[in-house]
Amino acid sequence: MAAEGRGGEAYGEAVIYRADGPSAAARQGAVACLIRSVGGADYRLPHTGQTDYANDAPKIPAGAVTAEDADLIADLVRQGPVRMKLVLTPQTLPDVESANVIGDIKGSEHPEQVIVVSGHLDSWDLGTGAIDDGAGVVVSMEVANLIQKLHLKPKRTIRVIAWMNEENGLAGSKQYAKDQEKEWMNHFAAMETDGGADHPLGINIKAKPEVKKTFAPVAAILQGSGAGMLNLVEHCGADIGPMEKAGVPAFSAIQDSRFYFNYHHTAADTLDKIVPKELAENSAVVAVAAYALANMEQPLPR
Ligand SMILES: [Zn+2]
């Protein structure tokens, strides 16, 4: 699936085994649970990520093994009983205070109406979080930079948000929702980049289907750089989820996802995986979309 360009869907199908596997195994009497890494990584890299414990099952230790080691273990099990000793070191420490980072370019005509452009600051710490989600933060900051550099005057406010704590509970997103939920009608649209920095192909739209038609002139501009696709989707980003739920039209770049899950949540999520030209292409696509939203004549249907 990832090779077909449907990396996100492939991950969606695989990730439930990591999220729900330990409780499912515990209900069958397991004392611990090892999950085959759910990304596409080889080079014997384990892939980490969120795991949920259900209330109706014992909370057993759980970890991810590399695809290579999972194959080896499966092979050994076919030959007879296998004994394993697990040494798992992760711990959940008490919460500490942290923050979303937010910056506005005030709208010239409707400053109270906001287009959110965002990525998330935190990352899993076995890599450096370059593609997940340093890229999304840089893309969003560069949107503001491009608009300033081009001396554009957006009519609505463009709000860049670097979210805190996407990976481990969405605390930044939840706090923003708490602080802003009375302002959702003034949130004109929300965007998030959280799929790395590979070549953008177009724009995902989570909104009423007619928004796709409204966006056709924007797609025509982006077509020249190979990013003219428009897809109606169910979900555009985890941190903007509360806004999506409240009916705020949501958008994200459609990104080439063939290789993202080979590095995401592994020790190989490092800056060398980012191709500067493709990172710039992502900024351009999000900037064009955000500026178009900021200057749209009519409000979008909800
Ligand atoms: Zn992410």
Side-chain angles (χ1 to χ4, degrees):
M1 276 174 96
E4 293 167 2
R6 296 189 294 144
E9 288 166 69
Y11 184 62
E13 283 190 13
V15 79
I16 50 173
Y17 295 97
R18 187 191 71 221
D20 301 336
S23 290
R27 281 186 209 106
Q28 305 292 321
V31 292
C33 175
L34 288 175
I35 299 287
R36 181 192 172 98
S37 285
V38 299
D42 46 21
Y43 301 112
R44 221 173 174 186
L45 287 171
H47 175 286
T48 192
Q50 194 186 347
T51 299
D52 302 320
Y53 284 120
N55 288 328
D56 67 340
K59 294 182 170 69
I60 59 172
V65 289
T66 66
E68 292 88 340
D69 290 321
D71 287 346
L72 177 65
I73 293 164
D75 222 37
L76 290 170
V77 165
R78 273 192 287 273
Q79 293 169 34
V82 173
R83 286 172 69 90
M84 296 186 76
K85 178 181 155 84
L86 302 185
V87 180
L88 303 174
T89 55
Q91 359 165 7
T92 302
L93 301 175
D95 284 348
V96 293
E97 193 166 312
S98 190
N100 297 323
V101 181
I102 303 178
D104 283 358
I105 297 180
K106 282 282 178 230
S108 57
E109 281 183 27
H110 310 289
E112 77 291 355
Q113 294 180 24
V114 173
I115 321 296
V116 169
V117 175
S118 64
H120 67 82
L121 277 171
D122 60 305
S123 69
W124 291 95
D125 59 0
L126 64 185
T128 60
I131 64 166
D132 185 13
D133 186 28
V137 172
V138 168
V139 163
S140 305
M141 289 168 66
E142 182 64 2
V143 167
N145 189 35
L146 286 171
I147 285 169
Q148 303 274 48
K149 257 197 198 153
L150 296 169
H151 305 293
L152 298 173
K153 293 265 173 283
K155 292 180 181 167
R156 298 183 179 85
T157 293
I158 293 184
R159 175 169 296 166
V160 175
I161 306 183
W163 303 103
M164 181 44 80
N165 185 242
E166 187 272 342
E167 302 287 1
N168 173 26
L170 293 159
S173 164
K174 287 174 184 164
Q175 187 61 44
Y176 185 82
K178 223 188 216 173
D179 295 344
Q180 294 285 322
E181 63 190 354
K182 291 204 181 74
E183 291 293 319
W184 283 159
M185 277 319 287
N186 276 331
H187 280 66
F188 189 85
M191 301 190 72
E192 180 159 13
T193 302
D194 189 15
D198 289 349
H199 176 66
L201 302 159
I203 296 173
N204 289 312
I205 301 172
K206 157 85 173 101
K208 289 269 155 64
E210 52 267 39
V211 173
K212 192 171 170 180
K213 212 186 234 164
T214 315
F215 243 65
V218 181
I221 293 168
L222 295 174
Q223 186 55 43
S225 61
M229 267 168 69
L230 293 177
N231 276 354
L232 287 168
V233 296
E234 286 304 307
H235 189 45
C236 279
D239 297 286
I240 59 173
M243 284 181 262
E244 289 182 342
K245 271 198 201 112
V248 177
F251 303 85
S252 61
I254 304 168
Q255 297 172 291
D256 177 354
S257 62
R258 287 175 300 165
F259 312 111
Y260 179 67
F261 291 98
N262 293 352
Y263 307 120
H264 152 277
H265 293 196
T266 75
D269 179 357
T270 47
L271 188 58
D272 52 291
K273 307 308 180 306
I274 304 238
V275 178
K277 180 174 178 292
E278 296 184 353
L279 180 68
E281 289 170 351
N282 278 286
S283 302
V285 167
V286 178
V288 167
Y291 186 66
L293 287 161
N295 283 25
M296 226 157 240
E297 296 293 333
Q298 302 291 335
L300 297 169
R302 297 198 174 189

